[in-house]
Amino acid sequence: MKKIIIEISDSQHQEMQAFLSKCFDASVAEECMGMDSYSLILEKSIFGSTLDIKMYGSAELGDVNWRIE
């Protein structure tokens, strides 16, 4: 089985955790308990790769390194 490994910095991890926490809190407040989903969007260009996360809105995490093992 292959793995996709996305390396993010500590600050990107904190930003992602804060964003997801806010989204999960909004889900509870709106009584939408159950299946929450979010999307990770990895974009690659000649300038490098970036990672965005979408749930209730989106957050741009910025430049990342990734590989398939």
Side-chain angles (χ1 to χ4, degrees):
M1 180 179 293
K2 300 291 183 188
K3 298 178 191 177
I4 298 173
I5 299 171
I6 302 171
E7 297 174 346
I8 59 176
S9 68
D10 289 338
S11 63
Q12 288 170 317
H13 181 261
Q14 289 173 351
E15 182 180 348
M16 182 175 72
Q17 292 291 70
F19 176 75
L20 291 175
S21 178
K22 181 182 80 169
C23 291
F24 290 133
D25 289 347
S27 178
V28 169
E30 295 175 11
E31 299 178 357
C32 296
M33 303 282 290
M35 296 285 290
D36 286 322
S37 65
Y38 58 90
S39 301
L40 297 176
I41 300 161
L42 182 63
E43 295 180 345
K44 184 177 180 183
S45 72
I46 61 172
F47 302 110
S49 298
T50 60
L51 182 66
D52 298 341
I53 186 167
K54 290 188 178 184
M55 193 166 175
Y56 298 114
S58 63
E60 297 175 1
L61 298 179
D63 295 332
V64 296
N65 293 317
W66 67 278
R67 65 186 181 280
I68 298 175
E69 290 184 350

